[in-house]
Amino acid sequence: MTSPPSAAPGAEKAVTPEALREQYESGATVQEIAAASGLSYGTVLNRLRSAGTVMRTSWQTRRMRQDPHARQRLATQLRALYEQHGATLAELAAAASVTKRAARRLLIEAGGTPRTAQETLRMRAAARAAERQRLAVSLRECYEAGATVPELAVDCGYSEATVYRLLHQAGTRMRPQRDRERSLGVRRRP
């Protein structure tokens, strides 16, 4: 008989009865917790009950969610994640422990406009390009201060070819070959 596969170490912590109870007591419904955790509805109910959770009725959940300030704060936080950090609706849903549909609704309530998948990809590509440009400028400064390409490659964890590409992208004036050999302590034959 085979034993069931063990869950990832972080996944086990997220679905403990105490963690589920915290989510439920902060206003999430059983259905939302089940969707976020990947557990079945019945399993979530059983774990909540084993943690001694006092269950709410649907009207109590609605009343709890009618706090306009808490909902508004959550909507504002989700909009900031969405617009400034390029998060997707799925990532917003996971961050707020709600469904994608509820995350979209909150985003719209906060004045945000949902993006298409292509817009999100372009936004993330631009952020990666900006980060790569900052790295290129940083490598250029180190190179011009006397560091060699192999040293830079080891320091930043990229291959030498990638470091050369980044240096060229930053407009670095490369040292002549003989200067590189001198900096490495290599002697030429007479």
Side-chain angles (χ1 to χ4, degrees), residues 132-133 135-137 139-140 149 158-172 174:
R132 193 169 175 90
Q133 184 61 34
L135 175 62
V137 169
L139 289 173
R140 177 184 178 172
V149 171
Y158 288 109
S159 69
E160 289 182 28
T162 301
V163 171
Y164 274 113
R165 253 192 319 277
L166 289 169
L167 288 171
H168 286 292
Q169 179 183 336
T172 308
M174 303 304 287

Side-chain angles (χ1 to χ4, degrees), residues 119-186:
E119 290 170 331
T120 300
L121 289 174
R122 279 194 297 270
M123 182 181 213
R124 288 184 171 185
R128 283 192 305 272
E131 180 61 34
R132 193 169 175 90
Q133 184 61 34
R134 281 192 293 276
L135 175 62
V137 169
S138 170
L139 289 173
R140 177 184 178 172
E141 291 170 358
C142 293
Y143 182 79
E144 289 175 348
T148 64
V149 171
E151 292 170 348
L152 294 173
V154 169
D155 288 346
C156 67
Y158 288 109
S159 69
E160 289 182 28
T162 301
V163 171
Y164 274 113
R165 253 192 319 277
L166 289 169
L167 288 171
H168 286 292
Q169 179 183 336
T172 308
R173 186 162 184 229
M174 303 304 287
R175 293 189 288 261
Q177 182 68 32
R178 64 182 181 279
D179 287 346
R180 281 191 226 134
E181 289 174 355
R182 267 194 229 134
S183 67
L184 292 175
V186 177

Side-chain angles (χ1 to χ4, degrees), residues 7-20:
E12 188 60 37
K13 183 182 178 201
V15 294
T16 62
E18 292 75 25
L20 296 177

